[in-house]
Amino acid sequence: SDKRVELLENLGFLWSVKGHAKVIKGGDPRQNRAIAAKLTYPDLSIRECLHLGGFKNDDLDVIKDQKHTWRTVYVEHKDTIRKRIDKYQNARLSGARLETEKLVNILNGEEGDRFVQVFGECSSLLPEFLAAAEERVRNGIEVDKPKRNSSCNGSKNPED
């Protein structure tokens, strides 16, 4: 009740909510743009796609849990993007899938301002990222390839 809340606040009780993000209809627009970039330009790294989507390094490098310092916001987005791309063709045509498809269609179109329509001010990053991706392909460098978990085969040596 309102009275209980007031009494708790008077005692100095601190309200804290963890783990529940605000749900955005159609999904996070930044993540939708990143997925559209990865679907349209598969040789881009996921980090490059996230930058095109509107994420900054400061956002991506945040460590949410000090017990698991390797699990940054980037790692969470990377895992989500991989899952959504793997399931993209069979996903329901609603919500984030529908928004992402609209963005992919714009990127695959012929309009001169299509990159600005999708990526906004981040569209200026695209030529540099595409050039870097082309260089990686020429040199045979694979990006965002899932790492083999050495603990699955019982070996502690990743070279085994």
Side-chain angles (χ1 to χ4, degrees):
S1 74
D2 291 337
K3 185 66 175 167
R4 285 184 180 161
V5 171
E6 182 182 338
L7 290 171
L8 286 170
E9 287 177 347
N10 288 341
L11 290 172
F13 184 81
L14 298 175
W15 299 96
S16 147
V17 177
K18 286 180 87 175
H20 296 287
K22 182 180 175 186
V23 176
I24 303 169
K25 186 177 180 178
D28 181 347
R30 297 179 304 172
Q31 196 170 66
N32 290 343
R33 289 190 295 267
I35 291 169
K38 188 67 173 169
L39 288 167
T40 307
Y41 306 106
D43 292 330
L44 293 179
S45 71
I46 290 177
R47 186 172 279 271
E48 289 167 337
C49 292
L50 287 165
H51 284 295
L52 286 169
F55 289 95
K56 306 286 185 226
N57 276 330
D58 292 344
D59 302 330
L60 297 173
D61 295 335
V62 171
I63 298 169
K64 287 184 146 186
D65 185 351
Q66 291 303 316
K67 288 188 242 172
H68 306 286
T69 55
W70 60 271
R71 187 113 177 110
T72 61
V73 171
Y74 165 73
V75 171
E76 289 179 4
H77 283 296
K78 178 185 68 164
D79 293 345
T80 300
I81 287 172
R82 278 188 178 152
K83 286 177 197 169
R84 285 186 52 197
I85 287 174
D86 287 345
K87 297 177 181 182
Y88 182 77
Q89 293 302 325
N90 298 325
R92 285 184 304 137
L93 283 174
S94 63
R97 166 64 160 81
L98 201 55
E99 291 301 315
T100 303
E101 186 169 312
K102 286 179 191 175
L103 297 171
V104 168
N105 289 337
I106 292 169
L107 289 172
N108 287 328
E110 297 295 321
E111 296 176 36
D113 68 337
R114 63 186 181 274
F115 306 120
V116 174
Q117 285 182 47
V118 174
F119 303 126
E121 64 186 34
C122 299
S123 64
S124 62
L125 300 170
L126 186 60
E128 176 186 340
F129 290 164
L130 289 173
E134 189 176 306
E135 181 72 19
R136 287 191 299 266
V137 168
R138 255 196 318 273
N139 294 325
I141 300 170
E142 292 184 45
V143 294
D144 302 322
K145 184 178 177 184
K147 293 179 182 164
R148 193 177 92 215
N149 187 350
S150 60
S151 64
C152 291
N153 64 10
S155 172
K156 298 215 187 277
N157 184 355
E159 299 300 316
D160 290 345

